[in-house]
Amino acid sequence: MIVVLTGGTGGAKLIQGLTHEVDPAQLTIICNTADDFVLHGLHISPDLDTIMYHLAGLGDDAKGWGIRGDTYGALEQLERYGAESWFKLGDKDLATHIRRTELLRNGVSLSAVTHELCRALGIAARLLPMSDDRIETRVETGEGEISFQEYFVRRHWRPEVTGVTYAGVESCRAAPGVIEAIHAAALIVICPSNPVTSIGPILAVPGIRHALQKTAAQIIGVTPIIGPAAISGPAHKLMLAMGVEPSSLAVARGYADCLDGFVIDADDLSLKDAIESLGVNVIATSVRMNALSEKRRLAREVLALARQ
Amino acid sequence: MIVVLTGGTGGAKLIQGLTHEVDPAQLTIICNTADDFVLHGLHISPDLDTIMYHLAGLGDDAKGWGIRGDTYGALEQLERYGAESWFKLGDKDLATHIRRTELLRNGVSLSAVTHELCRALGIAARLLPMSDDRIETRVETGEGEISFQEYFVRRHWRPEVTGVTYAGVESCRAAPGVIEAIHAAALIVICPSNPVTSIGPILAVPGIRHALQKTAAQIIGVTPIIGPAAISGPAHKLMLAMGVEPSSLAVARGYADCLDGFVIDADDLSLKDAIESLGVNVIATSVRMNALSEKRRLAREVLALARQ
């Protein structure tokens, strides 16, 4: 059994590779939900949705989010009504939020909703939200505290960040099956997702980090950083805001208490020794994934590193 | 000032005619809301929407409901998720329900929501729900009690009806402006809408029927029945279920306590004397409206009858 910890975009790529290299039914994916937010009265789970759409073969590879070929009739009309339109909701995508919101309002848990949506889409892998409770990444900026989606999508990660907190995380519980999956796993993959706003919240859920330290599974991480910057998105800016000089070494240090192996980019070969001195096996390869062949190759390298 | 009492389809046609014959800003439209229902967790107001879309020039004349040229991506995806799909929600149409539901949940009244949506669509006429309170037409059938939309859309008005009730109507209040508009009107038009499930609920809202009896306005009705059957929809079946032999005469009798004039179809010329004996001026003309020219002609005939 393979457990995957992931956010949205970067993680979705590696997971796509993994589903081609192993039986998807062997995968349990633990997904960040601290970016979840409510818009138009609908509960949106951006990372769960991105992963779910990719697992269902519906993902939009070009955009990295949403459903391929989706239309935008509802958003256009919502805009006419004066509703906020900075978050680009496709029509089919909207159906996910409508269905989720209805089920949540009926008292169904987020993990049960996720299970139901994945079942309807014929997904063989097991997709778990990190928690059924509400945790919210709050980004402190010079212009005030905003949600991650406001920072990332609405403000195009332009405001200067002075801090990041996970509101509600202390009192939340890991979703059913999360801790058990970590203990039962043979391999755990930490995806090349934002260490501050994707992997960070997962590790902050009470019990998850401890389970990762105690599990017998091999734990392999993949860097989302090459040189001083993220492959995509604002991870490096957020690391700086947390007082950390962004690099693959810094990411590995953040996970070092759990990590057995780490995959860095060949451009960062000079960091190999420093990371290995943390007691971590390192391979340096290409961690950029565009074509499916690159996603599969990186997935194979992660699997090979775990077997070492 | 002209006040119009209406349901959806038939009323929308006459209102379209009226907006071409008088300044739309002179119109106050009081619309049935007893067909409102909740689907996918969204508050849907079928009659308000049909009228609003037509007033905004967005109405789908061919179908009689929804927005012209709408797409159905969300509905298709909702169906994949196992949600009910018998009510054909277009993507742009869905935006209306999403926006309305969000505002209602924030404590905004249905009449204020309606005002806001109409303003956003640049509608000059004033569209009022009959009430801000929840009233629900319940259709008693041999197979149990169902909502009007379940009877009309889901079951294609096939089940045998044994009764119709307006749940919640006794304790509801007319929406702000409704009673005032009836008193201030010079002309009140009762549209060719279903007398049992469209006009019936409006007249059952406490205070509305009394205001119609007391107003100085001319009140002109238009029949939705030709011969023994409705021009469209199940009005005749529902009249039978209420113990009334369906005809233009029966419709006029139902409104006789308020009515000054009534428009029937030329096919029903033989009923003219019987209706006039109720103390109502009658004209017999063609009440079928397909082309815009027919809608405008009928609107002109209503206005002329009021001037007699």
Side-chain angles (χ1 to χ4, degrees):
Chain A
M1 232 253 297
I2 301 175
V3 164
V4 182
L5 310 188
T6 189
T9 327
K13 292 182 177 188
L14 184 57
I15 289 168
Q16 237 185 312
L18 282 166
T19 56
H20 282 84
E21 296 300 327
V22 302
D23 176 1
Q26 289 189 348
L27 295 178
T28 294
I29 298 158
I30 299 171
C31 188
N32 172 46
T33 56
D35 299 352
D36 288 19
F37 69 122
V38 172
L39 190 66
H40 315 305
L42 302 173
H43 182 109
I44 302 179
S45 296
D47 287 353
L48 278 175
D49 290 342
T50 296
I51 301 300
M52 182 174 79
Y53 296 151
H54 274 95
L55 289 170
L58 302 173
D60 189 318
D61 278 334
K63 287 206 302 268
W65 51 267
I67 292 179
R68 202 169 50 246
D70 212 348
T71 52
Y72 293 85
L75 186 71
E76 198 182 291
Q77 191 70 12
L78 278 167
E79 202 166 2
R80 275 192 85 167
Y81 291 138
E84 299 186 42
S85 58
W86 52 271
F87 195 84
K88 298 302 170 206
L89 289 168
D91 294 321
K92 290 187 180 194
D93 187 25
L94 199 52
T96 306
H97 316 313
I98 290 172
R99 184 70 176 156
R100 175 188 293 121
T101 303
E102 186 186 14
L103 293 172
L104 288 174
R105 284 229 172 83
N106 291 344
V108 182
S109 69
L110 182 60
S111 49
V113 172
T114 305
H115 176 76
E116 160 112 6
L117 298 178
C118 286
R119 192 194 49 71
L121 297 180
I123 291 170
R126 189 168 166 231
L127 178 59
L128 301 177
M130 65 188 199
S131 175
D132 283 338
D133 302 320
R134 191 77 195 85
I135 299 122
E136 190 183 355
T137 295
R138 303 293 300 172
V139 181
E140 293 152 26
T141 74
E143 307 159 31
E145 197 184 88
I146 54 180
S147 75
F148 179 70
Q149 292 302 326
E150 287 173 295
Y151 166 72
F152 183 56
V153 181
R154 186 181 208 169
R155 305 297 316 279
H156 306 282
W157 38 294
R158 285 196 199 111
E160 200 185 340
V161 179
T162 55
V164 174
T165 53
Y166 314 131
V169 81
E170 297 85 359
S171 58
C172 85
R173 285 180 309 169
V178 165
I179 302 293
E180 296 80 348
I182 292 170
H183 284 304
L187 166 61
I188 296 173
V189 179
I190 303 179
C191 281
S193 298
N194 190 320
V196 181
T197 57
S198 294
I199 304 300
I202 299 176
L203 298 180
V205 171
I208 290 188
R209 186 154 210 143
H210 184 74
L212 290 168
Q213 290 163 344
K214 296 294 175 192
T215 180
Q218 285 283 310
I219 304 187
I220 309 292
V222 179
T223 187
I225 305 275
I226 302 178
I231 297 169
S232 74
H236 51 291
K237 286 196 173 188
L238 296 169
M239 290 175 81
L240 270 174
M242 302 299 269
V244 177
E245 196 67 37
S247 70
S248 284
L249 174 59
V251 176
R253 265 202 201 111
Y255 305 155
D257 56 321
C258 327
L259 220 51
D260 298 296
F262 199 60
V263 181
I264 61 172
D265 196 80
D267 282 0
D268 284 331
L269 193 59
S270 62
L271 299 176
K272 191 168 189 275
D273 290 350
I275 299 173
E276 285 188 330
S277 74
L278 301 168
V280 175
N281 284 328
V282 176
I283 58 164
T285 179
S286 171
V287 296
R288 292 182 203 273
M289 295 171 281
N290 292 308
L292 178 60
S293 60
E294 294 170 302
K295 296 169 190 170
R296 295 185 65 164
R297 194 249 319 132
L298 189 56
R300 282 195 305 273
E301 290 182 307
V302 166
L303 295 168
L305 181 57
R307 278 192 298 267
Q308 271 182 23
Chain B
M1 233 254 298
I2 301 175
V3 164
V4 182
L5 310 188
T6 188
T9 327
K13 292 182 178 188
L14 184 57
I15 290 167
Q16 239 185 310
L18 283 166
T19 56
H20 282 83
E21 297 300 325
V22 301
D23 177 1
Q26 290 189 346
L27 294 177
T28 294
I29 298 159
I30 299 171
C31 188
N32 173 45
T33 57
D35 299 352
D36 288 19
F37 69 121
V38 173
L39 190 65
H40 314 306
L42 302 173
H43 182 110
I44 302 178
S45 298
D47 288 352
L48 278 175
D49 291 341
T50 296
I51 300 300
M52 182 174 78
Y53 296 151
H54 274 94
L55 289 171
L58 301 172
D60 189 318
D61 277 335
K63 288 205 302 271
W65 51 268
I67 292 179
R68 201 168 53 245
D70 213 348
T71 52
Y72 292 85
L75 186 72
E76 198 182 290
Q77 192 70 12
L78 278 167
E79 201 166 4
R80 274 192 85 169
Y81 291 137
E84 299 186 41
S85 58
W86 52 270
F87 194 83
K88 298 302 172 207
L89 289 168
D91 294 321
K92 291 188 178 195
D93 187 25
L94 199 53
T96 306
H97 316 314
I98 290 171
R99 185 70 177 155
R100 175 188 293 121
T101 303
E102 187 188 13
L103 294 172
L104 288 174
R105 283 227 172 82
N106 290 345
V108 182
S109 69
L110 182 60
S111 48
V113 172
T114 305
H115 176 75
E116 160 111 6
L117 298 178
C118 286
R119 192 194 47 74
L121 297 181
I123 291 171
R126 188 166 166 231
L127 179 59
L128 301 177
M130 64 188 200
S131 175
D132 282 338
D133 302 320
R134 190 76 196 85
I135 299 123
E136 190 184 353
T137 295
R138 302 294 299 173
V139 181
E140 294 152 26
T141 74
E143 305 159 32
E145 197 184 87
I146 53 180
S147 76
F148 179 69
Q149 292 302 326
E150 287 174 293
Y151 166 73
F152 182 56
V153 180
R154 184 179 208 169
R155 306 298 314 281
H156 306 283
W157 37 293
R158 285 196 197 109
E160 199 184 341
V161 179
T162 55
V164 173
T165 53
Y166 314 132
V169 81
E170 297 84 358
S171 57
C172 85
R173 284 180 310 170
V178 165
I179 301 293
E180 296 80 348
I182 291 171
H183 284 304
L187 165 62
I188 296 174
V189 179
I190 303 179
C191 281
S193 297
N194 190 320
V196 181
T197 57
S198 295
I199 304 300
I202 299 176
L203 298 181
V205 172
I208 290 187
R209 186 154 210 142
H210 184 72
L212 290 169
Q213 289 163 345
K214 296 293 173 192
T215 180
Q218 284 283 311
I219 304 187
I220 309 290
V222 179
T223 188
I225 304 276
I226 302 178
I231 297 168
S232 75
H236 50 290
K237 285 193 172 190
L238 296 169
M239 290 176 80
L240 271 173
M242 301 300 271
V244 176
E245 195 66 39
S247 70
S248 284
L249 173 59
V251 176
R253 264 200 201 113
Y255 305 155
D257 56 322
C258 327
L259 220 51
D260 297 296
F262 200 61
V263 181
I264 61 172
D265 196 79
D267 283 0
D268 284 332
L269 193 60
S270 62
L271 299 176
K272 191 168 188 276
D273 290 350
I275 299 173
E276 286 187 330
S277 74
L278 301 169
V280 175
N281 283 328
V282 176
I283 59 165
T285 179
S286 171
V287 296
R288 292 181 203 275
M289 293 172 281
N290 292 309
L292 178 60
S293 60
E294 294 170 301
K295 296 168 190 170
R296 296 185 65 163
R297 194 248 319 131
L298 189 56
R300 282 196 304 272
E301 290 182 308
V302 166
L303 295 169
L305 181 57
R307 279 192 297 267
Q308 272 182 23

